[in-house]
Amino acid sequence: MTDRAVAVVRAGALTTVQDLGRAGHAHLGVPRSGALDPAAVRLVNRLVGNPETAAVLETTVDGCAVRSRCAVTVAVGGAPCPVRVDGRPAAWGTAVRVAAGSVLEIGAAVRGVRAYVAFGGGIAVPPVLGSRSTDLLSGLGPAPLADEAVLPLGAGTAVRGPVDAPPWPGPADELVLRLRLGPRDDWFTAAALRTLATRAYRVSPASNRVGLRLEGPALERTSPGELASEGMVLGSVQVPPDGRPVVFLADHPTTGGYPVVGVVREADLGAAAQAVPGTPVRFTPVR
């Protein structure tokens, strides 16, 4: 007897359930959350015939393994990584059929950081505020995967999209982030703004789903004062007292008291999600 579910064999370093997030609740103090690389989520869902909003697994660095309790179509995308079914190599970046009882293994990322695993029917954990995403900052949504956990799947879909082997952009060797200055760029010296626009930073190992922490030249303020807490948006570049910028990602807090020197365009944040520690980062001011 089978049921529509997968059982976790190996949870990995950090594997969470993610969809496109729970936008519209910042006034309640609830971040958007959702997948850090939404383009990858849309594509793996399309490959298995799901709506783009279906929930998937987001792995971090070392993948995961699950045993399917039913026959299901899966697709693995995002960070390139080895894929195996019952120990045999399977295709990455395209739809694969997994039999009931088989073990799907997603290996460590060869490049990039986060892989995405879509199952036909989507992961059907209960939604919270309209989303099935795990929010590590607020604790909303399902807990990160643990060994032996069971995840329900939705009803399988009969229709798949016409793409069976799409082109996948590889993780960038250098991350270029388009930045609109403000609202607090006047809290920084002219020299600091030139530094931000011309000098290279590097991704810190301390980066996570909350923010991309950067190593490099400190940004000097015009005054040592502090702000009252104010609203934060996705892509905000907040500058804490050490002067090193932090680019806010999906699980960012909705308010903060450190000045925001600028905001990165949302279209550039998917690439930020795949930037490994040490990746060079450059900011390009835009209007």
Side-chain angles (χ1 to χ4, degrees):
M1 182 177 179
T2 62
D3 56 359
R4 290 200 60 79
V6 295
V8 180
V9 176
R10 181 179 67 84
L14 176 63
T15 304
T16 57
V17 176
Q18 299 293 341
D19 53 24
L20 297 183
R22 49 179 65 83
H25 301 288
H27 65 293
L28 301 176
V30 177
R32 180 189 304 189
S33 192
L36 293 190
D37 190 347
V41 170
R42 292 185 174 96
L43 192 43
V44 291
N45 271 325
R46 182 180 176 188
L47 287 169
V48 300
N50 290 341
E52 66 176 22
T53 54
V56 305
L57 294 182
E58 178 184 272
T59 74
T60 308
V61 180
D62 72 341
C64 68
V66 298
R67 185 184 301 277
S68 181
R69 294 186 173 183
C70 60
V72 64
T73 301
V74 304
V76 181
C81 59
V83 180
R84 293 181 179 274
V85 176
D86 290 336
R88 295 186 295 273
W92 173 91
T94 190
V96 174
R97 191 69 174 168
V98 177
S102 290
V103 174
L104 170 69
E105 299 175 74
I106 294 88
V110 176
R111 294 190 65 198
V113 178
R114 295 173 175 90
Y116 293 88
V117 189
F119 301 87
I123 298 172
V125 295
V128 178
L129 294 178
S131 170
R132 294 181 166 89
S133 289
T134 301
D135 181 346
L136 297 179
L137 186 68
S138 70
L140 293 177
L145 261 62
D147 294 354
E148 300 183 5
V150 175
L151 299 173
L153 300 180
T157 53
V159 179
R160 286 175 46 203
V163 176
D164 61 358
W168 288 88
D173 293 326
E174 180 180 63
L175 191 60
V176 178
L177 301 177
R178 292 169 291 177
L179 179 76
R180 183 173 182 179
L181 290 174
R184 300 297 178 185
D185 54 313
D186 58 346
W187 276 56
F188 298 89
T189 66
L193 297 180
R194 284 196 300 272
T195 294
L196 187 66
T198 60
R199 297 283 296 278
Y201 289 82
R202 289 189 179 274
V203 175
S204 166
S207 300
N208 54 29
R209 282 186 49 84
V210 173
L212 194 73
R213 296 183 178 275
L214 302 180
E215 300 171 343
L219 300 180
E220 182 183 8
R221 291 190 191 180
T222 55
S223 72
E226 296 298 334
L227 286 165
S229 289
E230 54 189 5
M232 295 290 141
V233 299
L234 185 67
S236 293
V237 181
Q238 192 182 66
V239 184
D242 68 2
R244 272 73 182 185
V246 179
V247 182
F248 276 165
L249 302 179
D251 284 357
H252 71 86
T254 56
T255 61
Y258 298 138
V260 171
V261 67
V263 179
V264 172
R265 287 191 176 179
E266 187 172 342
D268 295 348
L269 297 177
Q274 300 295 0
V276 301
T279 299
V281 180
R282 292 187 181 274
F283 291 100
T284 299
V286 296
R287 292 187 180 276

